[in-house]
Amino acid sequence: RAVRFAAGLEFAIDDATSQAIAARAEELQVVSAERIGAELRRMLTGADAPRAVRLMQQHGLLAVVVPELAGADEPTLQHFADRWPRLATRTLPTTLACLMLGATSDGAQVTMRAMALKFTRKEAERAGWLVDRYNELAGADVKPWSTIQPLLASAGGGELVAVYEAVAGGPNPASRYCRQKLALPPDELDPPPLVTGVVLKQHGLAPGPKFGAWLQAARDAQLNGQIATTVEAVDLITKLQASDD
């Protein structure tokens, strides 16, 4: 709490208090995860998250609260300090993702840490997803739309762009392209599929192990502007079926 006040209100911590915090840092392990998580949430979404994280490290608190960052050195802390001002969307998942990227690229590990801190499951899973997927936006402006659209059309699409942009050093052609796409009306960003499994059955195609792949191929072709009607989608899948047979 002293670190949160110092970071948020630009206070300096008294020397005696600072020494006492460092000396008793390990005792945080007996405090409930809910209380620790609540304080960390306020710091990561507060006015100066990088200063809060650096103060936690200086006082031996970071290793107790986020063991994955126990060995965080000055370059690691500076990376977070550099990313944070560039983070256009500062939610708990985006800030946590930018912080944890200094220690791991494993989204599952990030999700587990967030759950241990008693953040909501949605926040925990979103943070892990951001860590796993943010770099897939690199070169988005020259990749097939079908590879980028599922990421942007997801519930965390905007947050994903924010994390990619923060890590990449700021706005760039790929992130600008993504933001232009995010500004599209919902039915343009994520149009209904031209064909479904029900439609294929109606056209006499029997369900099988290739069904999912055929539907995905039709969806990709739709998003990439190669087909525009259900008839074209069914025709494409019929040809795929013939080639598979």
Side-chain angles (χ1 to χ4, degrees):
R1 199 170 275 183
V3 167
R4 175 166 65 85
F5 290 152
L9 301 174
E10 299 184 3
F11 287 170
I13 301 177
D14 177 79
D15 287 343
T17 302
S18 181
Q19 292 170 15
I21 293 171
R24 303 181 67 177
E26 291 294 329
E27 294 184 27
L28 266 182
Q29 296 181 65
V30 303
V31 178
S32 71
E34 288 86 354
R35 289 187 63 187
I36 293 175
E39 290 295 332
L40 186 60
R41 173 190 294 277
R42 292 174 181 176
M43 283 188 272
L44 291 182
T45 58
D48 197 342
R51 182 164 185 245
V53 170
R54 185 170 268 110
L55 285 171
M56 289 177 67
Q57 175 70 337
Q58 292 171 356
H59 290 83
L61 302 173
L62 192 59
V64 180
V65 175
V66 188
E68 293 82 359
L69 294 168
D73 53 14
E74 179 54 32
T76 299
L77 299 179
Q78 189 57 48
H79 279 313
F80 178 58
D82 291 339
R83 291 167 182 163
W84 187 77
R86 299 192 295 254
L87 194 57
T89 303
R90 293 177 186 162
T91 62
L92 179 64
T94 60
T95 309
L96 182 61
C98 283
L99 174 62
M100 294 297 287
L101 277 167
T104 181
S105 58
D106 183 353
Q109 188 176 27
V110 174
T111 296
M112 289 177 61
R113 176 52 50 199
M115 292 294 291
L117 289 164
K118 304 302 181 182
F119 297 147
T120 69
R121 177 171 292 278
K122 179 179 178 181
E123 291 170 330
E125 292 179 347
R126 179 69 54 79
W129 180 77
L130 293 173
V131 166
D132 277 338
R133 309 302 291 274
Y134 81 95
N135 207 37
E136 293 180 27
L137 297 183
D141 52 319
V142 295
K143 289 180 178 177
W145 173 231
S146 59
T147 66
I148 302 301
Q149 186 272 348
L151 298 172
L152 298 185
S154 69
E159 290 175 300
L160 191 67
V161 176
V163 172
Y164 165 70
E165 203 169 57
V167 176
N172 55 60
S175 69
R176 292 189 187 97
Y177 170 82
C178 290
R179 292 194 181 283
Q180 289 173 356
K181 290 295 188 180
L182 284 172
L184 292 172
D187 60 340
E188 291 185 38
L189 175 63
D190 190 22
L194 293 173
V195 65
T196 63
V198 173
V199 172
L200 293 186
K201 292 178 185 178
Q202 292 172 348
H203 282 77
L205 294 176
K210 298 291 183 68
F211 232 46
W214 295 340
L215 288 170
Q216 187 59 56
R219 179 62 168 171
D220 290 348
Q222 173 190 0
L223 293 173
N224 292 332
Q226 298 165 326
I227 59 175
T229 67
T230 297
V231 172
E232 290 176 326
V234 172
D235 183 56
L236 171 62
I237 291 176
T238 301
K239 291 177 181 177
L240 291 174
Q241 182 193 36
S243 65
D244 287 340
D245 293 340

